[in-house]
PDB file of all heavy atoms in Angstrom:
ATOM      1  N   ARG T   1      -3.953  -1.349 -12.813  1.00  0.00           N
ATOM      2  CA  ARG T   1      -3.434  -2.369 -11.902  1.00  0.00           C
ATOM      3  C   ARG T   1      -2.405  -1.824 -10.913  1.00  0.00           C
ATOM      4  O   ARG T   1      -2.313  -2.307  -9.790  1.00  0.00           O
ATOM      5  CB  ARG T   1      -2.802  -3.524 -12.696  1.00  0.00           C
ATOM      6  CG  ARG T   1      -3.812  -4.387 -13.416  1.00  0.00           C
ATOM      7  CD  ARG T   1      -3.117  -5.484 -14.231  1.00  0.00           C
ATOM      8  NE  ARG T   1      -2.123  -6.231 -13.472  1.00  0.00           N
ATOM      9  CZ  ARG T   1      -2.409  -7.244 -12.661  1.00  0.00           C
ATOM     10  NH1 ARG T   1      -3.668  -7.631 -12.492  1.00  0.00           N
ATOM     11  NH2 ARG T   1      -1.446  -7.893 -12.021  1.00  0.00           N
ATOM     12  N   LEU T   2      -1.655  -0.841 -11.330  1.00  0.00           N
ATOM     13  CA  LEU T   2      -0.569  -0.340 -10.491  1.00  0.00           C
ATOM     14  C   LEU T   2      -0.995   0.926  -9.746  1.00  0.00           C
ATOM     15  O   LEU T   2      -1.333   1.933 -10.363  1.00  0.00           O
ATOM     16  CB  LEU T   2       0.660  -0.051 -11.349  1.00  0.00           C
ATOM     17  CG  LEU T   2       1.905   0.433 -10.595  1.00  0.00           C
ATOM     18  CD1 LEU T   2       2.385  -0.627  -9.607  1.00  0.00           C
ATOM     19  CD2 LEU T   2       3.005   0.792 -11.591  1.00  0.00           C
ATOM     20  N   THR T   3      -0.961   0.846  -8.421  1.00  0.00           N
ATOM     21  CA  THR T   3      -1.317   1.974  -7.563  1.00  0.00           C
ATOM     22  C   THR T   3      -0.077   2.461  -6.832  1.00  0.00           C
ATOM     23  O   THR T   3       0.689   1.666  -6.279  1.00  0.00           O
ATOM     24  CB  THR T   3      -2.387   1.567  -6.534  1.00  0.00           C
ATOM     25  OG1 THR T   3      -3.580   1.193  -7.218  1.00  0.00           O
ATOM     26  CG2 THR T   3      -2.698   2.719  -5.585  1.00  0.00           C
ATOM     27  N   ALA T   4       0.129   3.776  -6.852  1.00  0.00           N
ATOM     28  CA  ALA T   4       1.226   4.388  -6.104  1.00  0.00           C
ATOM     29  C   ALA T   4       0.652   5.138  -4.915  1.00  0.00           C
ATOM     30  O   ALA T   4      -0.479   5.640  -4.959  1.00  0.00           O
ATOM     31  CB  ALA T   4       2.014   5.343  -6.999  1.00  0.00           C
ATOM     32  N   GLY T   5       1.428   5.214  -3.829  1.00  0.00           N
ATOM     33  CA  GLY T   5       0.913   5.879  -2.649  1.00  0.00           C
ATOM     34  C   GLY T   5       1.991   6.485  -1.780  1.00  0.00           C
ATOM     35  O   GLY T   5       3.197   6.236  -1.955  1.00  0.00           O
ATOM     36  N   LEU T   6       1.539   7.293  -0.832  1.00  0.00           N
ATOM     37  CA  LEU T   6       2.406   7.953   0.138  1.00  0.00           C
ATOM     38  C   LEU T   6       1.748   7.856   1.504  1.00  0.00           C
ATOM     39  O   LEU T   6       0.559   8.154   1.658  1.00  0.00           O
ATOM     40  CB  LEU T   6       2.608   9.420  -0.242  1.00  0.00           C
ATOM     41  CG  LEU T   6       3.551  10.254   0.633  1.00  0.00           C
ATOM     42  CD1 LEU T   6       4.970   9.696   0.548  1.00  0.00           C
ATOM     43  CD2 LEU T   6       3.505  11.717   0.209  1.00  0.00           C
ATOM     44  N   ASP T   7       2.521   7.426   2.506  1.00  0.00           N
ATOM     45  CA  ASP T   7       2.021   7.197   3.853  1.00  0.00           C
ATOM     46  C   ASP T   7       2.890   7.973   4.838  1.00  0.00           C
ATOM     47  O   ASP T   7       4.058   7.623   5.056  1.00  0.00           O
ATOM     48  CB  ASP T   7       2.051   5.690   4.154  1.00  0.00           C
ATOM     49  CG  ASP T   7       1.373   5.329   5.463  1.00  0.00           C
ATOM     50  OD1 ASP T   7       0.788   6.210   6.106  1.00  0.00           O
ATOM     51  OD2 ASP T   7       1.437   4.135   5.844  1.00  0.00           O
ATOM     52  N   LEU T   8       2.331   9.035   5.419  1.00  0.00           N
ATOM     53  CA  LEU T   8       3.055   9.887   6.358  1.00  0.00           C
ATOM     54  C   LEU T   8       2.362   9.841   7.716  1.00  0.00           C
ATOM     55  O   LEU T   8       1.140   9.900   7.796  1.00  0.00           O
ATOM     56  CB  LEU T   8       3.088  11.338   5.871  1.00  0.00           C
ATOM     57  CG  LEU T   8       3.596  11.587   4.446  1.00  0.00           C
ATOM     58  CD1 LEU T   8       3.478  13.076   4.100  1.00  0.00           C
ATOM     59  CD2 LEU T   8       5.031  11.120   4.290  1.00  0.00           C
ATOM     60  N   GLY T   9       3.146   9.738   8.780  1.00  0.00           N
ATOM     61  CA  GLY T   9       2.536   9.722  10.111  1.00  0.00           C
ATOM     62  C   GLY T   9       3.436   9.047  11.110  1.00  0.00           C
ATOM     63  O   GLY T   9       4.605   9.390  11.266  1.00  0.00           O
ATOM     64  N   ARG T  10       2.872   8.036  11.814  1.00  0.00           N
ATOM     65  CA  ARG T  10       3.612   7.297  12.823  1.00  0.00           C
ATOM     66  C   ARG T  10       3.746   5.841  12.430  1.00  0.00           C
ATOM     67  O   ARG T  10       2.792   5.226  11.945  1.00  0.00           O
ATOM     68  CB  ARG T  10       2.905   7.395  14.183  1.00  0.00           C
ATOM     69  CG  ARG T  10       2.979   8.773  14.811  1.00  0.00           C
ATOM     70  CD  ARG T  10       4.380   9.098  15.311  1.00  0.00           C
ATOM     71  NE  ARG T  10       4.471  10.442  15.838  1.00  0.00           N
ATOM     72  CZ  ARG T  10       4.274  10.746  17.120  1.00  0.00           C
ATOM     73  NH1 ARG T  10       3.952   9.783  17.973  1.00  0.00           N
ATOM     74  NH2 ARG T  10       4.376  11.980  17.540  1.00  0.00           N
ATOM     75  N   ALA T  11       4.919   5.268  12.645  1.00  0.00           N
ATOM     76  CA  ALA T  11       5.184   3.867  12.347  1.00  0.00           C
ATOM     77  C   ALA T  11       4.699   2.985  13.489  1.00  0.00           C
ATOM     78  O   ALA T  11       4.153   3.463  14.486  1.00  0.00           O
ATOM     79  CB  ALA T  11       6.681   3.663  12.113  1.00  0.00           C
ATOM     80  N   ILE T  12       4.911   1.681  13.376  1.00  0.00           N
ATOM     81  CA  ILE T  12       4.524   0.729  14.403  1.00  0.00           C
ATOM     82  C   ILE T  12       5.180   1.081  15.731  1.00  0.00           C
ATOM     83  O   ILE T  12       4.574   0.979  16.798  1.00  0.00           O
ATOM     84  CB  ILE T  12       4.914  -0.696  13.970  1.00  0.00           C
ATOM     85  CG1 ILE T  12       4.176  -1.067  12.676  1.00  0.00           C
ATOM     86  CG2 ILE T  12       4.604  -1.713  15.077  1.00  0.00           C
ATOM     87  CD1 ILE T  12       4.743  -2.277  11.973  1.00  0.00           C
ATOM     88  N   SER T  13       6.414   1.526  15.682  1.00  0.00           N
ATOM     89  CA  SER T  13       7.163   1.873  16.884  1.00  0.00           C
ATOM     90  C   SER T  13       6.713   3.183  17.505  1.00  0.00           C
ATOM     91  O   SER T  13       7.101   3.505  18.631  1.00  0.00           O
ATOM     92  CB  SER T  13       8.649   1.972  16.542  1.00  0.00           C
ATOM     93  OG  SER T  13       8.869   3.020  15.605  1.00  0.00           O
ATOM     94  N   GLY T  14       5.915   3.967  16.781  1.00  0.00           N
ATOM     95  CA  GLY T  14       5.531   5.289  17.244  1.00  0.00           C
ATOM     96  C   GLY T  14       6.410   6.388  16.684  1.00  0.00           C
ATOM     97  O   GLY T  14       6.129   7.572  16.877  1.00  0.00           O
ATOM     98  N   ALA T  15       7.484   6.012  15.974  1.00  0.00           N
ATOM     99  CA  ALA T  15       8.376   7.005  15.391  1.00  0.00           C
ATOM    100  C   ALA T  15       7.763   7.600  14.119  1.00  0.00           C
ATOM    101  O   ALA T  15       6.880   7.011  13.497  1.00  0.00           O
ATOM    102  CB  ALA T  15       9.727   6.361  15.063  1.00  0.00           C
ATOM    103  N   ILE T  16       8.263   8.769  13.729  1.00  0.00           N
ATOM    104  CA  ILE T  16       7.766   9.435  12.531  1.00  0.00           C
ATOM    105  C   ILE T  16       8.170   8.648  11.288  1.00  0.00           C
ATOM    106  O   ILE T  16       9.305   8.174  11.168  1.00  0.00           O
ATOM    107  CB  ILE T  16       8.322  10.866  12.450  1.00  0.00           C
ATOM    108  CG1 ILE T  16       7.787  11.702  13.626  1.00  0.00           C
ATOM    109  CG2 ILE T  16       7.951  11.523  11.124  1.00  0.00           C
ATOM    110  CD1 ILE T  16       8.375  13.088  13.693  1.00  0.00           C
ATOM    111  N   LYS T  17       7.222   8.492  10.354  1.00  0.00           N
ATOM    112  CA  LYS T  17       7.495   7.741   9.123  1.00  0.00           C
ATOM    113  C   LYS T  17       7.139   8.552   7.892  1.00  0.00           C
ATOM    114  O   LYS T  17       6.225   9.384   7.911  1.00  0.00           O
ATOM    115  CB  LYS T  17       6.701   6.433   9.094  1.00  0.00           C
ATOM    116  CG  LYS T  17       5.200   6.630   8.932  1.00  0.00           C
ATOM    117  CD  LYS T  17       4.464   5.306   8.794  1.00  0.00           C
ATOM    118  CE  LYS T  17       2.952   5.558   8.715  1.00  0.00           C
ATOM    119  NZ  LYS T  17       2.182   4.299   8.631  1.00  0.00           N
ATOM    120  N   SER T  18       7.848   8.284   6.808  1.00  0.00           N
ATOM    121  CA  SER T  18       7.552   8.802   5.476  1.00  0.00           C
ATOM    122  C   SER T  18       7.840   7.667   4.504  1.00  0.00           C
ATOM    123  O   SER T  18       9.008   7.353   4.256  1.00  0.00           O
ATOM    124  CB  SER T  18       8.409  10.019   5.142  1.00  0.00           C
ATOM    125  OG  SER T  18       8.211  11.063   6.069  1.00  0.00           O
ATOM    126  N   VAL T  19       6.792   7.050   3.972  1.00  0.00           N
ATOM    127  CA  VAL T  19       6.962   5.865   3.131  1.00  0.00           C
ATOM    128  C   VAL T  19       6.183   6.032   1.832  1.00  0.00           C
ATOM    129  O   VAL T  19       4.991   6.340   1.846  1.00  0.00           O
ATOM    130  CB  VAL T  19       6.469   4.590   3.861  1.00  0.00           C
ATOM    131  CG1 VAL T  19       6.594   3.377   2.944  1.00  0.00           C
ATOM    132  CG2 VAL T  19       7.261   4.367   5.142  1.00  0.00           C
ATOM    133  N   GLY T  20       6.847   5.827   0.703  1.00  0.00           N
ATOM    134  CA  GLY T  20       6.189   5.733  -0.585  1.00  0.00           C
ATOM    135  C   GLY T  20       6.075   4.278  -0.982  1.00  0.00           C
ATOM    136  O   GLY T  20       6.936   3.462  -0.617  1.00  0.00           O
ATOM    137  N   PHE T  21       5.037   3.931  -1.718  1.00  0.00           N
ATOM    138  CA  PHE T  21       4.843   2.520  -2.036  1.00  0.00           C
ATOM    139  C   PHE T  21       4.178   2.332  -3.392  1.00  0.00           C
ATOM    140  O   PHE T  21       3.547   3.244  -3.938  1.00  0.00           O
ATOM    141  CB  PHE T  21       4.008   1.822  -0.955  1.00  0.00           C
ATOM    142  CG  PHE T  21       2.601   2.351  -0.805  1.00  0.00           C
ATOM    143  CD1 PHE T  21       1.558   1.857  -1.579  1.00  0.00           C
ATOM    144  CD2 PHE T  21       2.324   3.345   0.116  1.00  0.00           C
ATOM    145  CE1 PHE T  21       0.271   2.341  -1.445  1.00  0.00           C
ATOM    146  CE2 PHE T  21       1.036   3.848   0.250  1.00  0.00           C
ATOM    147  CZ  PHE T  21       0.001   3.340  -0.524  1.00  0.00           C
ATOM    148  N   LEU T  22       4.321   1.107  -3.937  1.00  0.00           N
ATOM    149  CA  LEU T  22       3.625   0.643  -5.124  1.00  0.00           C
ATOM    150  C   LEU T  22       2.860  -0.621  -4.761  1.00  0.00           C
ATOM    151  O   LEU T  22       3.336  -1.438  -3.975  1.00  0.00           O
ATOM    152  CB  LEU T  22       4.606   0.351  -6.253  1.00  0.00           C
ATOM    153  CG  LEU T  22       5.366   1.543  -6.837  1.00  0.00           C
ATOM    154  CD1 LEU T  22       6.407   1.059  -7.840  1.00  0.00           C
ATOM    155  CD2 LEU T  22       4.412   2.536  -7.491  1.00  0.00           C
ATOM    156  N   GLN T  23       1.676  -0.768  -5.343  1.00  0.00           N
ATOM    157  CA  GLN T  23       0.827  -1.914  -5.019  1.00  0.00           C
ATOM    158  C   GLN T  23       0.233  -2.511  -6.289  1.00  0.00           C
ATOM    159  O   GLN T  23      -0.186  -1.782  -7.189  1.00  0.00           O
ATOM    160  CB  GLN T  23      -0.292  -1.491  -4.065  1.00  0.00           C
ATOM    161  CG  GLN T  23      -1.198  -2.628  -3.637  1.00  0.00           C
ATOM    162  CD  GLN T  23      -2.065  -2.236  -2.456  1.00  0.00           C
ATOM    163  OE1 GLN T  23      -1.568  -1.952  -1.366  1.00  0.00           O
ATOM    164  NE2 GLN T  23      -3.373  -2.196  -2.659  1.00  0.00           N
ATOM    165  N   LEU T  24       0.226  -3.851  -6.355  1.00  0.00           N
ATOM    166  CA  LEU T  24      -0.324  -4.585  -7.489  1.00  0.00           C
ATOM    167  C   LEU T  24      -1.311  -5.637  -6.999  1.00  0.00           C
ATOM    168  O   LEU T  24      -1.070  -6.286  -5.974  1.00  0.00           O
ATOM    169  CB  LEU T  24       0.788  -5.290  -8.274  1.00  0.00           C
ATOM    170  CG  LEU T  24       1.569  -4.497  -9.312  1.00  0.00           C
ATOM    171  CD1 LEU T  24       2.763  -5.310  -9.785  1.00  0.00           C
ATOM    172  CD2 LEU T  24       0.681  -4.101 -10.494  1.00  0.00           C
ATOM    173  N   PRO T  25      -2.431  -5.841  -7.721  1.00  0.00           N
ATOM    174  CA  PRO T  25      -3.352  -6.921  -7.354  1.00  0.00           C
ATOM    175  C   PRO T  25      -2.731  -8.286  -7.618  1.00  0.00           C
ATOM    176  O   PRO T  25      -1.971  -8.461  -8.570  1.00  0.00           O
ATOM    177  CB  PRO T  25      -4.570  -6.664  -8.244  1.00  0.00           C
ATOM    178  CG  PRO T  25      -4.042  -5.884  -9.408  1.00  0.00           C
ATOM    179  CD  PRO T  25      -2.918  -5.055  -8.870  1.00  0.00           C
ATOM    180  N   LEU T  26      -3.067  -9.249  -6.769  1.00  0.00           N
ATOM    181  CA  LEU T  26      -2.577 -10.616  -6.919  1.00  0.00           C
ATOM    182  C   LEU T  26      -3.673 -11.567  -7.379  1.00  0.00           C
ATOM    183  O   LEU T  26      -3.404 -12.749  -7.601  1.00  0.00           O
ATOM    184  CB  LEU T  26      -2.008 -11.112  -5.583  1.00  0.00           C
ATOM    185  CG  LEU T  26      -0.871 -10.272  -4.993  1.00  0.00           C
ATOM    186  CD1 LEU T  26      -0.459 -10.825  -3.634  1.00  0.00           C
ATOM    187  CD2 LEU T  26       0.322 -10.220  -5.946  1.00  0.00           C
ATOM    188  N   THR T  27      -4.890 -11.064  -7.522  1.00  0.00           N
ATOM    189  CA  THR T  27      -6.025 -11.882  -7.946  1.00  0.00           C
ATOM    190  C   THR T  27      -6.697 -11.249  -9.154  1.00  0.00           C
ATOM    191  O   THR T  27      -6.466 -10.074  -9.474  1.00  0.00           O
ATOM    192  CB  THR T  27      -7.050 -12.027  -6.809  1.00  0.00           C
ATOM    193  OG1 THR T  27      -7.390 -10.722  -6.305  1.00  0.00           O
ATOM    194  CG2 THR T  27      -6.499 -12.857  -5.666  1.00  0.00           C
ATOM    195  N   ALA T  28      -7.544 -12.015  -9.818  1.00  0.00           N
ATOM    196  CA  ALA T  28      -8.273 -11.514 -10.979  1.00  0.00           C
ATOM    197  C   ALA T  28      -9.263 -10.431 -10.554  1.00  0.00           C
ATOM    198  O   ALA T  28      -9.751 -10.436  -9.417  1.00  0.00           O
ATOM    199  CB  ALA T  28      -9.019 -12.660 -11.666  1.00  0.00           C
ATOM    200  N   PRO T  29      -9.584  -9.492 -11.456  1.00  0.00           N
ATOM    201  CA  PRO T  29     -10.505  -8.405 -11.102  1.00  0.00           C
ATOM    202  C   PRO T  29     -11.870  -8.885 -10.622  1.00  0.00           C
ATOM    203  O   PRO T  29     -12.512  -8.210  -9.806  1.00  0.00           O
ATOM    204  CB  PRO T  29     -10.632  -7.612 -12.411  1.00  0.00           C
ATOM    205  CG  PRO T  29      -9.371  -7.907 -13.157  1.00  0.00           C
ATOM    206  CD  PRO T  29      -9.021  -9.322 -12.811  1.00  0.00           C
ATOM    207  N   ASP T  30     -12.333 -10.061 -11.117  1.00  0.00           N
ATOM    208  CA  ASP T  30     -13.657 -10.539 -10.732  1.00  0.00           C
ATOM    209  C   ASP T  30     -13.604 -11.553  -9.585  1.00  0.00           C
ATOM    210  O   ASP T  30     -14.609 -12.172  -9.252  1.00  0.00           O
ATOM    211  CB  ASP T  30     -14.367 -11.169 -11.938  1.00  0.00           C
ATOM    212  CG  ASP T  30     -13.571 -12.317 -12.556  1.00  0.00           C
ATOM    213  OD1 ASP T  30     -12.399 -12.501 -12.166  1.00  0.00           O
ATOM    214  OD2 ASP T  30     -14.125 -13.021 -13.436  1.00  0.00           O
ATOM    215  N   ALA T  31     -12.452 -11.725  -8.958  1.00  0.00           N
ATOM    216  CA  ALA T  31     -12.344 -12.668  -7.838  1.00  0.00           C
ATOM    217  C   ALA T  31     -13.131 -12.147  -6.639  1.00  0.00           C
ATOM    218  O   ALA T  31     -13.012 -10.965  -6.287  1.00  0.00           O
ATOM    219  CB  ALA T  31     -10.881 -12.864  -7.454  1.00  0.00           C
ATOM    220  N   PRO T  32     -13.932 -12.986  -5.972  1.00  0.00           N
ATOM    221  CA  PRO T  32     -14.689 -12.531  -4.785  1.00  0.00           C
ATOM    222  C   PRO T  32     -13.775 -12.053  -3.666  1.00  0.00           C
ATOM    223  O   PRO T  32     -14.058 -11.057  -3.008  1.00  0.00           O
ATOM    224  CB  PRO T  32     -15.471 -13.776  -4.375  1.00  0.00           C
ATOM    225  CG  PRO T  32     -15.530 -14.631  -5.601  1.00  0.00           C
ATOM    226  CD  PRO T  32     -14.248 -14.370  -6.335  1.00  0.00           C
ATOM    227  N   LEU T  33     -12.667 -12.776  -3.456  1.00  0.00           N
ATOM    228  CA  LEU T  33     -11.689 -12.381  -2.446  1.00  0.00           C
ATOM    229  C   LEU T  33     -10.514 -11.706  -3.143  1.00  0.00           C
ATOM    230  O   LEU T  33      -9.805 -12.327  -3.931  1.00  0.00           O
ATOM    231  CB  LEU T  33     -11.209 -13.601  -1.661  1.00  0.00           C
ATOM    232  CG  LEU T  33     -10.138 -13.331  -0.585  1.00  0.00           C
ATOM    233  CD1 LEU T  33     -10.688 -12.421   0.500  1.00  0.00           C
ATOM    234  CD2 LEU T  33      -9.625 -14.630   0.004  1.00  0.00           C
TER     235      LEU T  33
END
């Protein structure tokens, strides 16, 4: 359920970004959406 990630590149503003993140599902595994 828990996914970790790293996002390196350009932000919305165009500036350089380095962001780490954690992500969790909000719906059941068999949910269509």
